[in-house]
Amino acid sequence: MLLILSSIFAILSCTCTYFVSKKENRKRKIIFAFISPFVIFYTFYIVGIISLSIVSENKKVDMGIGDAWYVPLKNDYQLLFIDVPEQAGINKENGVTVISEVEKIEENATQIFGKTTGNRYFLLDTKTDDLKIFDTDKELSALHAVKKLNLVETTEFYSKRKNDIMGYWPLLIFFFL
């Protein structure tokens, strides 16, 4: 995409330079007009990637590039996706998988409620590292009598959490570039 965009601007700038410039030094000006869009766009791209990497590292949220993405949960846990959204799992930040194949999730204080792709339900207390597995949502709801469970798709949870944590940083980075 960047190559195509740079090429289009290079062709346009070469054409304009050819018609606007005088015959002396025209060749040098055309070469400069051809190279400039590539230098400009790739510089913005590299600076943007570096800036997003810094923000991502500080906020402990991935920047969305690659085959694994994650967002932090309470007490050093994270929701991690590998390759496809159906491969969501809850891991400790040290890499230990606590539960895999998470399909739906809700976080309430230090408790994480969820449903796996095998139609099993779970409750993870991130403060005590206690994991309980249930066969039905009624068993899970019985432990959570304070309010009705509101399990959401993991991709929706990920998007909302990432936007809440990252805030306006990506926009600010691209605005100042």
Side-chain angles (χ1 to χ4, degrees):
M1 181 70 185
L2 201 55
L3 178 66
I4 294 169
L5 187 64
S6 298
S7 298
I8 291 169
F9 275 91
I11 291 168
L12 291 173
S13 64
C14 286
T15 305
C16 289
T17 303
Y18 179 79
F19 290 115
V20 171
S21 66
K22 296 177 183 166
K23 292 214 182 222
E24 65 266 357
N25 295 329
R26 182 182 282 174
K27 185 177 180 182
R28 190 176 339 162
K29 291 177 184 177
I30 289 174
I31 291 171
F32 180 75
F34 180 77
I35 294 173
S36 295
F38 291 96
V39 171
I40 291 168
F41 285 126
Y42 280 95
T43 300
F44 283 144
Y45 176 74
I46 292 168
V47 170
I49 293 292
I50 291 169
S51 301
L52 284 175
S53 297
I54 292 169
V55 171
S56 174
E57 188 66 31
N58 287 335
K59 300 274 187 179
K60 295 187 178 182
V61 176
D62 73 296
M63 58 184 198
I65 297 175
D67 63 348
W69 4 208
Y70 56 90
V71 290
L73 300 170
K74 299 282 191 226
N75 298 322
D76 296 329
Y77 281 87
Q78 64 184 4
L79 179 65
L80 173 71
F81 296 88
I82 298 176
D83 294 328
V84 291
E86 292 81 26
Q87 298 293 326
I90 297 175
N91 293 15
K92 291 284 280 179
E93 284 190 358
N94 63 6
V96 176
T97 301
V98 178
I99 189 157
S100 59
E101 298 180 351
V102 177
E103 184 178 284
K104 293 185 176 187
I105 189 171
E106 177 185 357
E107 186 177 39
N108 185 13
T110 62
Q111 295 179 323
I112 299 172
F113 303 90
K115 177 184 175 189
T116 65
T117 54
N119 287 326
R120 308 270 321 241
Y121 294 85
F122 65 88
L123 167 61
L124 173 64
D125 189 332
T126 61
K127 191 173 186 179
T128 63
D129 296 332
D130 186 34
L131 175 66
K132 295 179 182 171
I133 306 290
F134 305 97
D135 291 324
T136 66
D137 62 336
K138 298 209 184 308
E139 293 175 26
L140 177 61
S141 296
L143 288 176
H144 190 53
V146 177
K147 68 172 191 148
K148 185 177 184 313
L149 287 175
N150 185 25
L151 299 176
V152 296
E153 297 289 329
T154 52
T155 53
E156 182 182 334
F157 181 87
Y158 166 82
S159 296
K160 184 176 181 336
R161 175 62 57 91
K162 182 178 178 181
N163 289 339
D164 290 345
I165 292 172
M166 291 288 275
Y168 293 110
W169 278 105
L171 291 174
L172 287 172
I173 289 169
F174 288 113
F175 177 74
F176 287 113
L177 285 179

